[in-house]
Structures are given as C-alpha cells and as structure tokens.
Amino acid sequence: MRLLLINPKFPESFWSFKWVNSAIMPDKKATNPPLGLATLAALCPSDWEIEIVDENIESIPLDPSADIIGICGMGVQFKRQSELLTFYRMKGFFVVAGGSYASLCPEFYETLADSVISGEAEYIWKEFCRDFEMGKPKKLYHETATVSMSDSPVPRFDLLKLESYRSVSLQFSRGCPFRCEFCDIIVMFGRKPRTKSPEQVGRELDLLRKLHVHSAFFVDDNLIGNKPCAKELLKFLRDYQQKHKYPMHFGTEASLNMAQDNELLTLFSEANFKWVFIGIESPDEESLKETKKFQNTREDILTSVRKIYSYGIDIYAGFIIGFDNDTTKTFESQYQFIMKSGIQAAMIGLLTAMPKTPLYERLEKEGRLIPKPNYGDNSKLDTNVMPKQMGYEEMIAGYKQLHHRLLSNRSIAGRIKNKTRYLRTLTNNGEYSLARGLKLLRNFIIHGLLSGRMPRLFHFFRTIPLFKPGLIPLVIQDWIIGLSMKDYVERHFTQEFEKANQLAHGYLRVIENAFHRYLKGGSLELSLNQAKNTAANLSIKLKGVKERKFFKRAGKYLEKILENTASSITLNIEELHESNLKHLNRLLKRISQYGDRVYITVNEKLKDIIEIDSSKFNLVLIK
Ligand code: SF4
C-alpha cells in the first residue's frame, strides 16, 4: 500500500518568520515539521510505503504514485487543505482528511474527503488502515474514548526533511487543566492532562540525536498541565542532557503559574529549556477573569515574567485584544506592559471564536459573531468577534498602531534592555557551531543592521549588555525576531491601498506600452482588477509569446510591482513554447521572494512540461 501524507501550506503569519528564513537562515524553509504526520506514519502497517510532503518546504506532486492521500490541517490551513482534498479526489485518488480542524469540526469535511479522521489518531488510524486493506473504509472515524499516551509510537522523524526546519517538534502531553473560554485545545483533548513516560520521550530523543537535531520544541499546549509528571520528565531530561553532554536545547508552551514553583523553574533550566511560550493574553485582571484565565491572576504578571527570566529562561508570549472588558485604552496598557516585560516575541492576536468553544457559544447567543469564513488565524486584521466596548474598525486601527509602535527600532531596543536587566545568562548554549554562528551574524549585520542605517545602529549598540556578554547572542536573536515581525507588519498591516494601487496603475501603463505588440497580436492579455479597500491584482494571460526578451523584461517589471506595491499577480499560462521554458523559470526565480502574492494557473496540456513550486507560489489547482 502506498500512502502519501501532505501538510498543506500555511498562510503567512507572524509565526512564519519569513524574513528570518530569507535574510538570516536561507538554508531553512520553515519553523517546525509536521509532527502529526510523522506520528501517523508510525501507526501504519510495517509493509506500507509512506511519503510525507510538507508544502511549506517543498512542492506537492501533481501526479503522485499513491493508493491513499492523507491531508492534515489546522484551522488556518483549512482553505488550502480543502483545495488539495478536492484536487486529488477529482483526479481519482482516495483522500483522507485529518488534523486538528477535522478533529474539531469533522462535519466541514463530509463532502471533501472519502474518509475523515476526527480526534487523536492512535487507535482510529489503525482501524482505518485495517478497513482500507479489507476494501471497506468508513466515511468517518471519530475517536470518542481516551487515548493513552503510552500507545503513541515514536514518530517517523526519519521521513521528515529535518534539515529544512529551524527546530523539530515532539510531544509529551495532551490536555490542559485550565478552562480559558476561547480555547479549543480543551474541547479536543480534555482537561485531564495525559502524558508519555519519560522513557518514551527518551526513545524519541535518541532518534533525534541520531538525526543530528540540536533544537527541539515540545509542542504540548501546556507542558506543566500535570506538574508531578512534568517534574518527572524534567528530571529525566536533565539527566539525559548531562549523560549526552547537552546535545540539544528545548522550548515549550506552559502556563504562567510555572513562575510560582521554584523547583519546576530550576528543573526547566537544568534540562536546558531556553524559552517557553506563555499565554499571557492581557495585563488587565478583569479581562483575564472574563476569559476564565484565573491562573494568570494569582501573582503580578510582571513579577512572574521577571522570575522566569531570573532562571535563564526566555519568554515568548501570546496576547489578545478584543475581550468584552477591553476598550480603546487597552492598546496603551498592552503597549506599556509588553515594553516593561521585555517580551520580544509578543504574538498579539484579535480575540477569535473557534467553533465549539464556550466563547463561540456565548457570542452566538449574544448575536455577536460576525458571519464570515473564519479559519482561526488571529494574527490577521480580521476576526469573527464583534467587540463590546469599541467599534470594530476602531479595534483594527488600534491593533495596527500597537504593532507599529512596538516594532520601531526604539521599542525593539527598549524591550531588549528591559529583558537583559532580569535575564540570567544562559548556560549550555551550543546551538550553533562557530562557523554557522559567524555566518548568521554576517547576515544579520548586512540585512538587519546596515539596512536600518544609523538610527538602527544607534539603538542596536545601546542594547549590548556590556556587563553580561553571555547575553549578546540573545540580544541578536531578539533583534532578529523584532525585525522579522516588523517586516511582516510592514507588508501586511500597511493598508494604504489607494496610493499603492495608483502606483500599480502607473506600472500597468508602462507595461502596456512596452508590450504593445504582444497585446495587439493577442499573445498577451493584461488587466488590473481592484475592489474597494483591497490591493490591486494584475492578471496576466500568456498565450504563446515567443520572444525570449519578453520574459526578461516582464520579470523586471513584475519584480518592481511586487516590490513597490501591495499588489498581487495572477499568472495564467495558457500557451508556452517549450523553448521558452527556461526563460519562464528565470522570470519565476526573479519574483519568487514575493511568491505568496503570485497565483499561477497552468493550462492542463502544459502540466507535463511546466513545474511550479507550490511551496514558493500559490499554485491554483481548481479554477
Ligand atoms: S492555559 Fe492554554 S491550553 Fe490551557 S485552557 Fe488556557 S489557553 Fe487552553
């Protein structure tokens, strides 16, 4: 049996850290590999042939050799997951949908997939494999029982192209004891945390060591959901690190109450956890109580943050705007808190109601859900929640401004200074070899520092911790995080469409003049489409242009449009002479860094000669 597992491309968000991948670490293409697919692969019968394709680092195959195609997805991936399911199903493949969104809302997949795997896969995926081999796969496999984590196998990390990721994911526990109103995790995994044994985790680490992994991310939603078990794991990890001479460093997600347990903090530090992601959400106690995040109200949050720093553990954090208690004053209080806390990776999202959460149900009753497709990406200028004490547009404007304020050179530097004052120098670093460290430093100086000219250099130099030189790598890392988020905000949150679209119209006129001959002869069609308050889309239809020089000049113009405006481009390749293939590829290479704004459709008859890398461009599969 041949099984192809696909992780669809994520839409870009803060989490993509696109600037890091393009400017600082060009050898890395994404942050983390698809752990769920590697786990699924390990649950298959041993004689199955399995391939994992992650569209975030590589192109999807259009004509794969497979008997089954399994496509996973979180809420943010739903659009692309649906496209892929439909595309492969129309081609006659047996398609299976799974992942966290199919677990939460299996009904959304009824018409999209032949089988749906809803819930934790350990038992139901094995059942599906048996049924499929017998020729009787069911439409829906819904896990209703409690899966024991001891039945979770060592993931097939060997099937992942680990060298393309900045860090590798593994999992210790599922479930969280808290009951935050907006959280879909507890809807899916329950409130009683279940854990693997430390020895089980040890077997996974052994494999990762063999695969030369140096950075691992425990993707648990709350690693300390069951504190006694978490401590047992941390003691095991501490001993494991000592025994193997600190082969890797870790990061994870945990709740803020970790700050109130000194033993836990010591163990995190000794086990070489360099950072932890914490859902802080809001500095306002009333907002926290409203959302039932009581664990964040037990102690002053700044005190907790600084205590965690004092153990040499860095903090990444999530913040939310749009609670009922929030007003326009919230933007200022969030700004002040984030600055004082020194948290550079401050992932601020708009409150979003995921289906089946208590928040969704409450807002539905109150008639405050905005009926729009919502796929759970809360880092966009969009949400399905109508705020209570401010207007929707007012909230969006304040949200944008908050990001612009936080991501100025001065604010990035201010946060670093506020962090290094409290952060203990980290030990057991060793993430990069000297050669690699120097290469990254060079890229940072060229693309990060010098590109920001004197003002950035000035702010950078004032963040160098002269009395704690051991923190210099962290300072550079925080600049990289800040600049990457700044890059995202500048490209996605600047909506001066009118000006940008006027520019796009200007470019269109230049292109029309330059390619007048092709337009007249019918081998080229051009149009600029624009709806109110959106970026323009330049549509290009190639219908057999023959001259090589066309591709060279077109590449130059398209690059300029993408670089200087927010416009997107739709490239419809209707006809192409084979001799022009290499010229087309050169054109595509030239604009590939803007590939997320380029949509490409290829005529069916050209599909065998033209290969479009769907990890770089938006390859339109279904018109
Ligand atoms: S602490 Fe995190 S995982 Fe736990 S309920 Fe709250 S949001 Fe969900």
Side-chain angles (χ1 to χ4, degrees):
M1 206 63 77
R2 293 159 310 166
L3 169 68
L4 170 64
L5 295 169
I6 300 179
N7 183 34
K9 191 152 73 171
F10 283 94
E12 196 196 346
S13 71
F14 288 125
W15 293 107
S16 317
F17 288 107
K18 188 175 170 191
W19 183 80
V20 179
N21 292 338
S22 60
I24 308 294
M25 295 184 181
D27 55 332
K28 304 289 174 193
K29 294 181 180 165
T31 310
N32 297 109
L35 176 67
L37 295 185
T39 306
L40 214 59
L43 292 163
C44 291
S46 56
D47 58 342
W48 282 28
E49 277 175 37
I50 306 159
E51 190 189 354
I52 297 179
V53 170
D54 180 1
E55 204 187 15
N56 297 288
I57 63 158
E58 62 197 318
S59 194
I60 48 154
L62 298 182
D63 278 305
S65 311
D67 301 301
I68 309 168
I69 300 185
I71 304 171
C72 69
M74 309 200 310
V76 288
Q77 292 166 291
F78 181 64
K79 187 169 176 286
R80 186 61 175 168
Q81 186 187 20
S82 314
E83 285 168 6
L84 293 174
L85 286 165
T86 309
F87 171 72
Y88 287 115
R89 202 175 191 204
M90 273 165 51
K91 288 193 132 228
F93 289 98
F94 186 94
V95 296
V96 187
S100 65
Y101 210 47
S103 299
L104 192 66
C105 304
E107 63 280 7
F108 290 179
Y109 293 83
E110 250 168 44
T111 54
L112 294 170
D114 296 300
S115 285
V116 180
I117 306 295
S118 175
E120 295 170 61
E122 275 76 4
Y123 308 147
I124 52 178
W125 179 253
K126 283 186 171 173
E127 190 188 334
F128 163 77
C129 294
R130 277 195 303 271
D131 290 353
F132 192 85
E133 282 186 328
M134 288 190 304
K136 289 186 208 154
K138 289 195 287 243
K139 188 82 191 137
L140 175 68
Y141 293 81
H142 194 175
E143 183 54 82
T144 48
T146 309
V147 169
S148 165
M149 292 292 280
S150 60
D151 292 325
S152 196
V154 174
R156 291 285 308 273
F157 292 119
D158 57 304
L159 294 178
L160 301 168
K161 286 125 194 139
L162 295 180
E163 64 288 352
S164 296
Y165 301 93
R166 290 204 301 277
S167 181
V168 174
S169 336
L170 70 166
Q171 188 182 41
F172 167 61
S173 68
R174 290 179 198 153
C176 174
F178 298 117
R179 50 190 179 107
C180 307
E181 192 191 25
F182 55 82
C183 181
D184 57 345
I185 301 297
I186 42 180
V187 178
M188 285 186 285
F189 297 134
R191 291 189 47 219
K192 189 161 185 265
R194 289 159 286 133
T195 63
K196 290 178 183 170
S197 68
E199 292 68 31
Q200 233 179 316
V201 174
R203 286 194 287 278
E204 297 186 22
L205 292 176
D206 287 344
L207 179 53
L208 290 179
R209 259 192 320 119
K210 264 192 218 144
L211 296 168
H212 309 291
V213 169
H214 299 295
S215 168
F217 169 32
F218 281 88
V219 295
D220 305 43
D221 299 295
N222 184 2
L223 189 103
I224 62 162
N226 179 331
K227 272 201 203 168
C229 290
K231 284 182 184 173
E232 219 186 296
L233 171 79
L234 292 169
K235 282 177 193 158
F236 174 87
L237 293 179
R238 174 195 61 195
D239 298 344
Y240 189 95
Q241 294 274 32
Q242 277 170 2
K243 184 171 164 202
H244 298 287
K245 303 198 171 38
Y246 296 89
M248 58 187 94
H249 65 81
F250 301 122
T252 191
E253 302 183 344
S255 44
L256 190 60
N257 56 318
M258 70 185 277
Q260 287 126 39
D261 190 325
N262 294 350
E263 186 195 3
L264 198 63
L265 289 172
T266 307
L267 287 170
F268 265 115
S269 177
E270 288 175 349
N272 207 18
F273 274 77
K274 275 178 75 173
W275 58 268
V276 59
F277 179 92
I278 298 175
I280 289 178
E281 324 307 6
S282 174
D284 188 325
E285 199 171 318
E286 286 312 309
S287 297
L288 293 170
K289 283 182 183 159
E290 169 198 318
T291 199
K292 301 192 169 48
K293 199 144 195 148
F294 300 109
Q295 69 273 25
N296 286 13
T297 64
R298 292 179 194 163
E299 181 181 63
D300 170 61
I301 299 180
L302 262 189
T303 307
S304 298
V305 165
R306 288 169 181 169
K307 183 151 174 217
I308 296 169
Y309 284 158
S310 73
Y311 281 78
I313 302 163
D314 193 6
I315 297 178
Y316 302 169
F319 296 89
I320 294 178
I321 298 271
F323 293 119
D324 289 2
N325 178 63
D326 287 355
T327 65
T328 47
K329 292 196 179 113
T330 302
F331 299 108
E332 183 59 27
S333 58
Q334 288 274 19
Y335 175 78
Q336 292 299 341
F337 175 82
I338 293 169
M339 285 305 297
K340 280 186 204 146
S341 73
I343 296 169
Q344 197 66 248
M347 304 301 192
I348 312 165
L350 293 171
L351 182 69
T352 302
M354 291 295 281
K356 311 204 177 160
T357 56
L359 175 70
Y360 190 95
E361 281 160 18
R362 175 168 71 81
L363 294 181
E364 196 171 39
K365 272 189 213 136
E366 292 176 16
R368 288 177 47 217
L369 284 177
I370 303 171
K372 59 171 99 169
N374 164 45
Y375 305 120
D377 183 353
N378 69 349
S379 64
K380 295 273 182 293
L381 296 175
D382 193 25
T383 173
N384 63 347
V385 175
M386 184 55 83
K388 200 167 186 177
Q389 298 201 61
M390 55 184 145
Y392 184 86
E393 291 305 329
E394 224 175 354
M395 179 173 76
I396 300 288
Y399 179 70
K400 269 164 49 178
Q401 204 207 3
L402 175 61
H403 278 97
H404 285 298
R405 282 180 80 190
L406 282 169
L407 295 167
S408 68
N409 291 324
R410 179 182 296 277
S411 295
I412 291 174
R415 289 207 292 289
I416 293 174
K417 284 190 84 63
N418 286 340
K419 179 188 289 186
T420 48
R421 211 166 281 148
Y422 298 95
L423 190 71
R424 199 187 73 199
T425 304
L426 308 167
T427 47
N428 304 323
N429 258 320
E431 182 176 357
Y432 304 119
S433 65
L434 182 65
R436 182 158 171 78
L438 288 174
K439 206 167 155 190
L440 299 183
L441 181 63
R442 187 201 61 185
N443 290 347
F444 167 65
I445 292 173
I446 296 171
H447 302 294
L449 277 189
L450 298 180
S451 65
R453 311 220 172 136
M454 274 317 282
R456 188 169 300 156
L457 281 167
F458 165 74
H459 287 293
F460 174 73
F461 284 119
R462 74 187 182 91
T463 56
I464 294 179
L466 295 174
F467 299 107
K468 289 182 181 177
L471 285 182
I472 291 175
L474 179 120
V475 168
I476 293 172
Q477 182 190 295
D478 266 21
W479 271 100
I480 291 173
I481 291 173
L483 293 178
S484 185
M485 293 177 74
K486 186 180 177 70
D487 168 73
Y488 176 83
V489 164
E490 282 172 358
R491 284 182 295 109
H492 292 267
F493 288 8
T494 308
Q495 293 189 319
E496 287 167 358
F497 294 127
E498 219 169 292
K499 218 163 126 200
N501 289 346
Q502 271 173 13
L503 201 59
H505 270 285
Y507 278 119
L508 178 70
R509 278 195 293 276
V510 173
I511 299 174
E512 280 173 341
N513 280 340
F515 298 138
H516 177 72
R517 195 158 58 86
Y518 305 107
L519 290 165
K520 214 168 153 208
S523 57
L524 176 71
E525 281 179 22
L526 290 174
S527 63
L528 194 70
N529 313 307
Q530 185 200 337
K532 198 170 173 262
N533 281 336
T534 56
N537 173 273
L538 175 65
S539 170
I540 304 166
K541 210 176 255 185
L542 289 184
K543 296 163 73 182
V545 177
K546 291 198 182 70
E547 284 79 1
R548 176 187 126 185
K549 66 175 186 233
F550 165 83
F551 293 92
K552 206 168 167 190
R553 290 176 74 191
K556 209 165 70 186
Y557 290 130
L558 297 187
E559 191 182 18
K560 281 224 174 312
I561 292 183
L562 290 163
E563 190 183 343
N564 299 324
T565 75
S567 306
S568 57
I569 288 174
T570 301
L571 182 60
N572 204 328
I573 308 170
E574 286 284 314
E575 282 174 45
L576 186 86
H577 197 268
E578 223 168 323
S579 62
N580 277 325
L581 192 57
K582 62 175 183 293
H583 307 308
L584 173 74
N585 285 336
R586 267 191 217 128
L587 180 154
L588 293 177
K589 193 169 173 205
R590 187 163 191 162
I591 58 172
S592 64
Q593 63 167 312
Y594 309 103
D596 56 331
R597 283 189 281 139
V598 179
Y599 297 80
I600 304 181
T601 313
V602 180
N603 189 305
E604 198 56 43
K605 65 180 189 237
L606 297 172
K607 291 238 162 97
D608 290 337
I609 62 160
I610 300 179
E611 269 183 42
I612 303 295
D613 185 339
S614 72
S615 70
K616 292 192 176 133
F617 298 99
N618 298 294
L619 177 59
V620 181
L621 298 168
I622 300 146
K623 285 187 204 171

